């Protein structure tokens, strides 16, 4: 599972599938594995069947991995403020 259709980072579990049917099978396998090891997922924090997900500053979707536009905007805004401050101070 790991590295094939499941990625885990800290307390995040990402499950990748090509079809909805395959996704249901993968989700069941992961949940059964967690249960076998007496580990549980908090239902309120779970999201199933998503076509894209924000993860570690990136957006992962069926088109691939891209930088999260919100993170890029935050960096650009901070950089613009610093440059403006530098210009005013000089």
């Amino acid at each position: 599972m790991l590295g094939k259709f499941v990625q885990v980072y800290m307390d995040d579990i990402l499950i990748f599938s090509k079809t909805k049917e395959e996704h249901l099978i993968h989700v069941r396998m992961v949940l059964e594995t967690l249960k076998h090891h007496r580990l549980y997922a908090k239902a309120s924090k779970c999201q199933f069947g998503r076509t894209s997900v924000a993860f570690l500053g990136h957006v992962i979707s069926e088109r691939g991995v891209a930088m999260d536009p919100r993170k890029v905007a935050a960096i650009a805004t901070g950089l613009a403020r610093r440059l403006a401050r530098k210009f005013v101070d000089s």
Side-chain angles (χ1 to χ4, degrees):
M1 281 190 291
L2 282 175
K4 292 182 182 176
F5 59 87
V6 176
Q7 293 294 323
V8 178
Y9 180 76
M10 303 292 272
D11 63 347
D12 292 320
I13 301 171
L14 300 177
I15 304 170
F16 300 94
S17 310
K18 294 184 188 285
T19 66
K20 287 181 182 181
E21 294 78 18
E22 185 180 67
H23 190 64
L24 291 174
I25 293 167
H26 291 165
V27 169
R28 172 159 285 158
M29 289 172 69
V30 170
L31 292 176
E32 286 174 355
T33 300
L34 290 172
K35 184 178 177 182
H36 175 76
H37 293 282
R38 294 189 176 131
L39 299 170
Y40 301 94
K42 189 173 183 179
S44 63
K45 299 216 176 208
C46 295
Q47 299 176 5
F48 297 99
R50 303 273 312 267
T51 56
S52 68
V53 62
F55 184 68
L56 298 176
H58 295 84
V59 176
I60 303 168
S61 71
E62 48 199 21
R63 288 185 271 155
V65 179
M67 292 183 68
D68 187 336
R70 295 174 301 171
K71 301 288 185 185
V72 173
I75 291 168
T77 300
L79 182 59
R81 284 186 186 143
R82 274 186 263 142
L83 288 173
R85 224 177 290 132
K86 200 173 211 178
F87 179 75
V88 170
D89 289 343
S90 58

